[in-house]
Amino acid sequence: MAAAQAEWSRTVRKERYNRIIEHAVFKKIIKEIEELEQNRIFCGHGMEHLLSVARIGYIDILENNYDIPKDVMYGAALLHDIGRAGQYRGEGSHSALGAKLAKQILKDCGYEKDEIDAICVAILEHGENNGQELLSQVLYRADKKSRNCFLCGAYEDCNWNENKKNRGIV
């Protein structure tokens, strides 16, 4: 009985982050971000980046034995840059816009209120290395580690501080 319940729980949790990538608002905004970044020479914020952040963040969680469920990390990673389209349109910071958009998407996808709150805080704080919550710190590190600066043709023109740029595989 316990094994069946554990399997059911894993399936439900996996379905939640898969629901995010099928959510109409998410799909619409990701498509818009990809269109807006079509001629961007710097790092992009499409699905490849989002999945890299999710996977790197989850590796960090496993390596450090943090008590953060996989679906919470994946939810945060998939939605952390969802506000980029609004930022490109001059509507405000992508973190604040993203947290607002993420709240409804996460609710629609079956996340609990405490998980939604934690993910939204992580989205708000992911741009700076001073987040108070563990999920915020993991998301920040994964976001930065996901960038292959050492391969980038725009390395010299990038506005990132030299200390932030990844000069090798991290």
Side-chain angles (χ1 to χ4, degrees):
M1 179 79 153
Q5 188 173 9
E7 180 59 33
W8 176 83
S9 179
R10 276 192 296 276
T11 301
V12 168
R13 287 183 166 281
K14 182 178 177 184
E15 287 174 4
R16 294 194 308 174
Y17 56 81
N18 279 313
R19 283 187 214 139
I20 292 171
I21 63 172
E22 292 300 324
H23 194 279
V25 172
F26 177 83
K27 288 167 55 170
K28 176 183 176 276
I29 293 172
I30 291 301
K31 182 178 180 189
E32 185 177 1
I33 291 169
E34 289 174 351
E35 288 171 0
L36 289 166
E37 291 184 342
Q38 191 171 20
N39 296 317
R40 183 180 166 91
I41 63 169
F42 303 109
C43 300
H45 302 92
M47 279 303 295
E48 184 177 347
H49 169 62
L50 303 177
L51 288 172
S52 291
V53 172
R55 292 170 178 147
I56 291 167
Y58 193 57
I59 290 168
D60 188 6
I61 289 167
L62 293 174
E63 287 180 342
N64 292 290
N65 205 23
Y66 294 144
D67 186 22
I68 300 172
K70 181 178 182 178
D71 59 324
V72 171
M73 181 66 228
Y74 269 66
L78 289 170
L79 295 169
H80 81 280
D81 279 335
I82 196 90
R84 286 278 174 192
Q87 180 175 319
Y88 294 150
R89 292 190 302 265
E91 297 170 4
S93 99
H94 82 279
S95 297
L97 295 167
K100 185 176 178 182
L101 288 165
K103 188 173 264 188
Q104 187 60 51
I105 294 170
L106 291 163
K107 184 178 177 187
D108 292 348
C109 294
Y111 284 80
E112 301 294 328
K113 183 185 180 331
D114 61 326
E115 295 169 324
I116 294 169
D117 291 346
I119 291 169
C120 288
V121 166
I123 291 170
L124 279 168
E125 295 181 345
H126 85 273
E128 299 298 324
N129 191 19
N130 60 358
Q132 298 300 307
E133 301 299 323
L134 182 58
L135 180 60
S136 300
Q137 296 165 15
V138 172
L139 183 61
Y140 171 83
R141 287 192 303 268
D143 193 22
K144 300 307 168 241
K145 288 179 179 180
S146 73
R147 302 306 188 176
N148 297 322
C149 302
F150 59 95
L151 296 173
C152 183
Y155 185 95
E156 297 301 323
D157 297 317
C158 181
N159 63 3
W160 269 22
N161 178 304
E162 283 299 314
N163 295 331
K164 265 186 157 179
K165 292 179 182 177
N166 297 322
R167 295 190 188 123
I169 298 170
V170 292

